[in-house]
Amino acid sequence: MHTLTLAHLYPAEMSVYGDRGNVIALRQRCVWRGIELQIVPVNPGDQVAWGTMDLAFFGGGQDSGQALIARDLLERQGVGLRNAIEDDLVLLAICGGYQLLGHYFLTHAGERLPGLGVLDIHTVGGKQRMIGNSVVEAQLAAQTVHLVGFENHSGRTFHGSGVRSLGRVLVGSGDNGEDRVGGAVYRNVYGCYLHGSLLPKNPQLTDHLICLALQRRYGPHAQLAPLETNLELQAQQAMLQRLL
Ligand code: GLN
């Protein structure tokens, strides 16, 4: 039986709009395939053996929640987490977590929160929040997928040349409300603004992340067993029909 381990970054401070549903979806789609997914919560002050991790999840949070953990992220987890990312750790980050993987987040109140700097992005808070349903057309391996989600952020995220975008925003504001960029990808790190939760209703992305982690741990021949996914795809389709 295959086993994978997931680090859930700061679940108490960084889990808005049901983001922890992403961890549940990852675990359930593993369980259905006979893969055990161990979940390790990472709280401020914890030492983490990043070399043993296969996946990580970093959810969204209020500016105040981000301020509580930004220093721990940088100073305690920084070196280990950065090394793991360079070693292709699979990481999904949503909204506030996504912002803190960039160079910095300047909040609308003027507080500058330094980020991990693994994504070549920076974020500047504005007065107006970007709120609503969203659709991002993303390329996952060879597959085009319309990711559906919900966004609520004041931060506007801008990309540098060292990162590629996850996809194109078809509905909603996306990273900054200006250039239709929706999310970023670096190695096996995926970041975007889509709450929802994202993974339960976008099973293509859930399986993409599990597959990356499985092959990183067990080799390129490790395959994901196919799963019946009708209900999840119906949920995704219902939102696409409503929004597009
Ligand atoms: N506090 C950040 C912002 O408003 C992130 C919000 C979130 O994670 N939903 O931009």
Side-chain angles (χ1 to χ4, degrees):
M1 170 149 150
H2 290 327
T3 301
L4 296 171
T5 307
L6 177 142
H8 187 176
L9 284 156
Y10 311 110
E13 296 84 358
M14 300 292 290
S15 191
V16 291
Y17 311 119
D19 277 352
R20 100 182 40 234
N22 293 307
V23 175
I24 296 169
L26 285 166
R27 191 183 50 200
Q28 194 57 44
R29 293 188 76 77
C30 281
V31 166
W32 280 331
R33 295 179 163 108
I35 303 167
E36 189 190 347
L37 183 66
Q38 291 175 347
I39 295 163
V40 178
V42 178
N43 294 303
D46 286 354
Q47 299 292 343
V48 180
W50 282 106
T52 66
M53 295 299 163
D54 301 296
L55 291 140
F57 176 70
F58 195 6
Q62 298 179 352
D63 293 6
S64 56
Q66 293 171 279
L68 283 176
I69 54 89
R71 192 169 171 162
D72 189 87
L73 174 72
L74 207 61
E75 293 180 3
R76 198 176 309 271
Q77 310 304 344
V79 174
L81 180 51
R82 271 195 214 101
N83 286 342
I85 286 169
E86 293 305 318
D87 191 31
D88 290 332
L89 174 78
V90 179
L91 194 166
L92 175 67
I94 307 292
C95 200
Y98 171 44
Q99 295 169 346
L100 290 181
L101 295 184
H103 299 299
Y104 64 88
F105 172 33
L106 182 64
T107 73
H108 76 102
E111 189 177 6
R112 191 181 191 281
L113 301 177
L116 207 58
V118 284
L119 295 180
D120 186 12
I121 59 171
H122 70 273
T123 303
V124 180
K127 280 206 184 83
Q128 198 162 353
R129 297 193 71 80
M130 289 165 268
I131 303 174
N133 291 313
S134 183
V135 179
V136 172
E137 183 179 72
Q139 207 59 43
L140 300 176
Q143 199 187 7
T144 302
V145 180
H146 290 109
L147 300 170
V148 298
F150 168 80
E151 60 183 335
N152 184 346
H153 52 110
S154 82
R156 294 183 304 142
T157 296
F158 300 95
H159 290 217
S161 57
V163 77
R164 73 184 163 86
S165 64
L166 170 63
R168 199 165 58 92
V169 179
L170 303 185
V171 176
S173 299
D175 279 25
N176 53 52
E178 290 172 22
D179 58 16
R180 300 257 138 230
V181 165
V185 183
Y186 170 72
R187 301 190 78 102
N188 284 341
V189 177
Y190 291 75
C192 66
Y193 273 103
L194 301 175
H195 300 285
S197 320
L198 176 63
L199 294 185
K201 57 190 171 190
N202 294 282
Q204 303 97 330
L205 179 57
T206 320
D207 285 355
H208 180 68
L209 299 174
I210 297 171
C211 190
L212 287 173
L214 206 63
Q215 296 191 341
R216 173 176 177 262
R217 170 72 50 193
Y218 293 101
H221 300 298
Q223 292 294 334
L224 271 196
L227 273 187
E228 189 274 302
T229 308
N230 283 342
L231 282 177
E232 293 84 346
L233 293 178
Q234 270 178 41
Q236 188 183 53
Q237 213 44 48
M239 281 312 286
L240 290 172
Q241 271 166 17
R242 200 191 296 175
L243 297 173
L244 288 178

